[in-house]
Amino acid sequence: MILDGQDLAPAVAAGRSEELRNLIAYHNRRYHQLDDPEISDAAYDLLFTELRHLETRYPELLDPDSPTQRVGAPPLEKFQSFPHPSPMLSLANAFTEKEIRDFDERIQRFLGRSSGLFPGGAETIAYVIEPKLDGVAVNLLYEHGALVTGATRGDGTTGEDVTLNIRTVAAIPLSLLGNGGLPIPKRLEIRGEIVIATAAFRVLNERRLEAGEQLFANPRNAAAGSLRQLDSRITAKRPLDFFAYAIGMAADMVMKTHWEVLAALKAWGFKVHPFARRVDQIEDCVQGYGELYAAREDLSYEIDGMVIKVNDLDLQDELGAVSRSPRWALACKFPAYQETTVIEAIDVQVGRTGALTPVAIMTPVQIGGVTVSRASLHNQDEIDRKDIRIGDTVVVQRAGDVIPEVVKVVTSLRKGTELPYAIPQTCPVCGSAVIRIEGEAAHRCIGIACPAQIKEHIVHFASRGGMDIEGLGEKMVYQLVDAGLIKDPADLYFLRAEQLLPLERTGEKSAGNLLRAIAGTRSPFLEKLIFAFGIRHVGESMAKILARKYAALEDIMAATVDELTTIRDVGPEAAKSIVRFFQEPSNLQVLAKLKTAGVAPINRLFSASTEASGALSGKTFVLTGTLERMTRQEARQLIESRGGKTSESVTKKTDYVIAGTSAGSKLDKAKTLGISILDEETFFLLMEST
Ligand code: IVH
């Protein structure tokens, strides 16, 4: 139930909003931290909506810590700098197993206990190993359990205050949970990594590609870019996530080991990476390093290594730091996912929607155990922005299961013989013209019979909004194309039953049905046929607009851009797209073939005023109920195009009432007044005869 706060006493509203915040925080944690939601997304949304209603109605209840406040705030001019209460150190690196063992030896030597016992009576040093997440390190300051500041690492001493952005990250608790009676230090720094999951990163980049926006090179760049947005409303839309891995300064801390720290982080409501393990000795770290490396590609988040930390906090203190790195921790890096190679050629692929994608063909190179020789260059804009030329030496990366990507050109290695690239002006698959629609990043082939797109084209041609051929769905179209029976939409009308019989799940009966369904679409409404062509920018409503303006397909084919743009609702891009479509010779061939096949559209919408017959002049119509074949708006236009009038209410002056299904009181009134009542079919017959 949603309480809209209409009649709640302020005290009740306050109580309820508090309750809702707690509930939402709890379910947030189940979802984000524990990955184990208890309620559906819809039920969660309901709680959220209720809280938002309450806060709108009682603004005094609005609390900056409310989960409703994660949507971002107006943009900042710049970030303030933030001196970290305790410095954010960096880690010493290791690249080999030997270096991992050396690390342990160094610690033993430093402690001078190579012969004695370590805390807990052990003879070896206990460590915690964790994945080294490849994101952006942040420092979160909590006071009395409430998030006060979130800052980037900066130079380790001073970072940037990105609190508004941090607050939009759902995995970061705005106030800490007091789970299990664990005390929350009065002032507490939480250290962790802002990341973006590989899958979410891919979706993010796909959207940016569609929108013609610059792509992010990898999840880390995307996370960093999102975190440093001056407009936190943009950050709020990015799929940022957070894992905690340490505590900085903490007033009155009671933990004795790093393992307890991780447990506390979880209890307070943070996510801790599930791979984190406590181990008894350095050999377990070496083994963990191998295991993590093997699991690397399967993880949901990108990692660039493993971090080893001495578990005992007193021991950590004793070890201290050298320059800016602690002696008690080590980053064991994995081999980079980047290599350099040479672009030998640029190929073009034509996708099923006609988009041309340039693909770099590179000298094969091993990256993280996989041979890479091709990488999508996405579109001409990306090529231009990175200034990629054929012959260039480039940095290529392959991260996780993310597809290989050309990161940048090594311009210092240019010889001057490299060739700039321009996407072809004709389709490499069918030779039709290639155009680029303004506002879109992709170049597209406009051939209706292009083999690369033919399946999609025919599926669209036969779809409900198009020719509406029953029984001709995606599966059937694919079979017909794969069997070589159709190469363009017009071929459908030349199919014979014996050609269909060998197809999967096609008997005499279904073949007959399909052929009848196809033949039954030889007299389509003009707007359906136009829509069926799949011209870019011509959806169902645009097709209707055209059919209303032009009596015949030939008239549309002859229209110029200037003429089309005089029509309301036809913009310059749509006009250009229409003209180009009908200029393309291969499309004209298909149209001619459709004509030969006997496909002849009829125009029921045409209503140019000069041609109005006026046959219905002086007649008043009232429409009631639902019409099957057209909207009321269309019916009204039909009547008006013949000189008739329409009215909303039935009176003695009404000449006809057109009754669709579930007609109500207007129909009753018409009956009482003895007015002529037409059903939909009769109405059509009347329209056809006038
Ligand atoms: S601990 C003093 N643990 O690695 C120890 N760091 O060079 C402070 N990182 O800037 C860091 N995952 O961005 C730690 N599990 C992890 C980590 C981790 C990633 C990053 C962090 C830091 C850099 C250290």
Side-chain angles (χ1 to χ4, degrees):
M1 175 189 57
I2 292 186
L3 300 174
D4 62 4
Q6 212 63 35
D7 9 64
L8 290 186
V12 179
R16 178 63 181 161
S17 70
E18 169 79 28
E19 188 175 47
L20 285 167
R21 269 174 217 152
N22 289 337
L23 269 171
I24 291 169
Y26 170 78
H27 290 298
N28 243 344
R29 180 170 125 88
R30 301 240 28 141
Y31 185 93
H32 288 287
Q33 189 197 0
L34 305 175
D35 210 4
D36 181 23
E38 258 179 19
I39 59 174
S40 68
D41 288 1
Y44 176 87
D45 288 345
L46 225 51
L47 294 175
F48 208 88
T49 314
E50 188 188 340
L51 179 58
R52 228 191 343 240
H53 275 274
L54 274 177
E55 288 173 344
T56 318
R57 187 154 167 82
Y58 301 92
E60 68 275 14
L61 295 179
L62 237 174
D63 175 327
D65 283 352
S66 170
T68 58
Q69 300 308 297
R70 290 196 193 264
V71 289
L76 300 174
E77 297 258 320
K78 64 181 187 63
F79 296 118
Q80 301 297 319
S81 59
F82 176 77
H84 297 295
S86 70
M88 289 179 80
L89 301 178
S90 55
L91 298 173
N93 288 327
F95 295 92
T96 61
E97 294 186 358
K98 178 174 183 301
E99 285 171 306
I100 295 176
R101 295 189 179 102
D102 289 349
F103 164 73
D104 182 71
E105 258 173 44
R106 232 174 12 248
I107 290 178
Q108 306 227 17
R109 221 177 310 120
F110 185 88
L111 295 173
R113 300 193 202 169
S114 33
S115 50
L117 293 183
F118 293 105
E123 289 177 23
T124 54
I125 300 178
Y127 296 101
V128 171
I129 53 177
E130 301 164 11
K132 186 171 184 307
L133 288 156
D134 200 5
V136 188
V138 290
N139 189 22
L140 311 176
L141 181 62
Y142 286 84
E143 284 178 0
H144 302 286
L147 175 66
V148 228
T149 312
T152 60
R153 182 175 181 280
D155 61 6
T157 309
T158 308
E160 280 178 320
D161 183 335
V162 289
T163 311
L164 290 175
N165 295 342
I166 289 287
R167 298 180 72 88
T168 69
V169 180
I172 295 180
L174 298 174
S175 44
L176 301 179
L177 304 173
N179 275 336
L182 190 84
I184 298 172
K186 279 200 289 286
R187 262 186 118 227
L188 171 68
E189 282 180 293
I190 302 285
R191 303 278 162 85
E193 203 83 352
I194 296 273
V195 290
I196 291 183
T198 322
F201 168 75
R202 216 172 305 140
V203 173
L204 177 65
N205 250 359
E206 270 164 24
R207 291 225 187 94
R208 291 177 72 86
L209 184 65
E210 273 164 28
E213 291 167 337
Q214 197 171 315
L215 299 183
F216 290 117
N218 51 48
R220 176 169 39 79
N221 283 359
S226 305
L227 192 64
R228 296 203 68 260
Q229 280 289 336
L230 287 168
D231 187 343
S232 52
R233 290 168 301 196
I234 298 178
T235 312
K237 294 192 186 116
R238 302 277 171 79
L240 294 179
D241 210 335
F242 179 76
F243 285 94
Y245 49 62
I247 286 177
M249 163 275 314
D252 44 58
M253 221 189 37
V254 293
M255 274 78 75
K256 287 272 167 247
T257 65
H258 182 64
W259 192 243
E260 287 170 35
V261 167
L262 294 186
L265 290 171
K266 282 190 239 181
W268 289 329
F270 293 98
K271 293 211 284 193
V272 169
H273 198 286
F275 181 88
R277 295 182 197 169
R278 179 180 47 178
V279 298
D280 290 331
Q281 53 187 339
I282 199 69
E283 277 317 305
D284 300 332
C285 298
V286 173
Q287 197 189 329
Y289 180 57
E291 285 170 25
L292 190 58
Y293 184 55
R296 179 187 194 185
E297 308 258 308
D298 303 324
L299 299 180
S300 312
Y301 300 84
E302 280 196 2
I303 61 171
D304 57 347
M306 183 184 84
V307 182
I308 306 180
K309 297 172 186 173
V310 168
N311 189 31
D312 189 279
L313 298 185
D314 287 336
L315 215 49
Q316 284 190 5
D317 274 347
E318 200 176 330
L319 285 160
V322 54
S323 71
R324 314 224 23 93
S325 314
R327 282 198 191 82
W328 47 265
L330 182 71
C332 316
K333 302 291 280 279
F334 292 148
Y337 271 147
Q338 288 195 341
E339 276 303 335
T340 57
T341 183
V342 173
I343 297 200
E344 296 176 351
I346 296 179
D347 224 358
V348 179
Q349 278 176 357
V350 185
R352 56 193 188 94
T353 60
L356 269 63
T357 306
V359 179
I361 310 298
M362 302 170 293
T363 312
V365 61
Q366 289 278 321
I367 310 180
V370 171
T371 308
V372 173
S373 61
R374 299 165 68 84
S376 169
L377 298 175
H378 305 295
N379 55 51
Q380 185 73 46
D381 281 357
E382 280 286 296
I383 295 179
D384 295 345
R385 195 175 58 75
K386 292 179 182 162
D387 187 20
I388 295 171
R389 305 181 191 176
I390 298 165
D392 266 339
T393 300
V394 290
V395 175
V396 189
Q397 81 177 5
R398 184 192 70 87
D401 57 352
V402 172
I403 38 178
E405 172 108 33
V406 174
V407 181
K408 61 176 182 197
V409 174
V410 187
T411 39
S412 57
L413 292 180
R414 279 228 169 112
K415 297 195 242 4
T417 51
E418 296 78 9
L419 294 173
Y421 175 83
I423 215 151
Q425 295 185 336
T426 54
C427 172
V429 177
C430 76
S432 293
V434 164
I435 60 159
R436 177 175 181 176
I437 289 167
E438 224 170 280
E440 281 188 17
H443 285 72
R444 285 178 199 276
C445 160
I446 60 164
I448 193 178
C450 176
Q453 311 164 58
I454 193 60
K455 289 178 178 169
E456 287 305 306
H457 267 312
I458 298 178
V459 169
H460 176 81
F461 184 82
S463 68
R464 283 287 303 268
M467 302 295 269
D468 196 8
I469 304 176
E470 216 177 304
L472 191 57
E474 192 177 278
K475 267 219 176 90
M476 193 52 165
V477 170
Y478 278 40
Q479 282 201 67
L480 291 169
V481 175
D482 289 340
L485 295 176
I486 50 175
K487 293 196 165 58
D488 61 53
D491 283 339
L492 288 169
Y493 295 91
F494 297 96
L495 286 171
R496 282 169 286 115
E498 67 267 24
Q499 293 178 303
L500 302 182
L501 293 177
L503 302 180
E504 225 176 272
R505 266 178 293 158
T506 313
E508 297 223 348
K509 185 156 170 245
S510 55
N513 285 344
L514 180 60
L515 291 183
R516 260 190 305 282
I518 293 173
T521 63
R522 281 211 166 89
S523 311
F525 289 135
L526 179 59
E527 69 273 19
K528 293 272 203 178
L529 181 64
I530 298 171
F531 174 74
F533 290 153
I535 306 170
R536 258 192 110 73
H537 282 304
V538 181
E540 284 182 88
S541 57
M542 178 68 73
K544 277 184 194 154
I545 290 167
L546 293 172
R548 224 163 259 149
K549 171 80 183 175
Y550 296 99
L553 178 60
E554 286 71 21
D555 301 335
I556 302 176
M557 292 170 67
T560 62
V561 171
D562 285 346
E563 192 183 321
L564 287 164
T565 41
T566 61
I567 308 174
R568 243 187 70 191
D569 297 327
V570 180
E573 284 310 315
K576 272 189 251 169
S577 169
I578 295 163
V579 169
R580 284 195 196 114
F581 180 87
F582 290 115
Q583 273 172 353
E584 172 56 43
S586 60
N587 293 348
L588 295 179
Q589 262 176 28
V590 175
L591 293 182
K593 210 159 137 191
L594 278 170
K595 208 166 174 180
T596 316
V599 175
I602 46 178
N603 194 343
R604 55 170 176 163
L605 298 176
F606 182 60
S607 62
S609 51
T610 48
E611 307 218 351
S613 66
L616 299 179
S617 93
K619 302 280 184 230
T620 304
F621 291 75
V622 173
L623 292 152
T624 177
T626 316
L627 300 179
E628 300 291 321
R629 290 167 60 175
M630 58 172 63
T631 65
R632 281 212 202 174
Q633 173 65 19
E634 288 164 358
R636 231 173 270 137
Q637 273 166 355
L638 274 184
I639 295 165
E640 283 160 13
S641 72
R642 286 154 178 79
K645 273 197 303 203
T646 57
S647 156
E648 283 304 314
S649 51
V650 179
T651 66
K652 273 187 285 186
K653 293 202 180 118
T654 307
D655 295 291
Y656 297 102
V657 167
I658 298 145
T661 47
S662 11
S665 61
K666 289 182 194 173
L667 179 58
D668 297 340
K669 188 151 182 209
K671 283 179 185 159
T672 335
L673 294 175
I675 290 162
S676 305
I677 296 163
L678 308 180
D679 63 12
E680 187 168 348
E681 206 43 50
T682 322
F683 170 62
F684 269 113
L685 289 176
L686 177 67
M687 291 299 117
E688 268 168 26
S689 65
T690 51

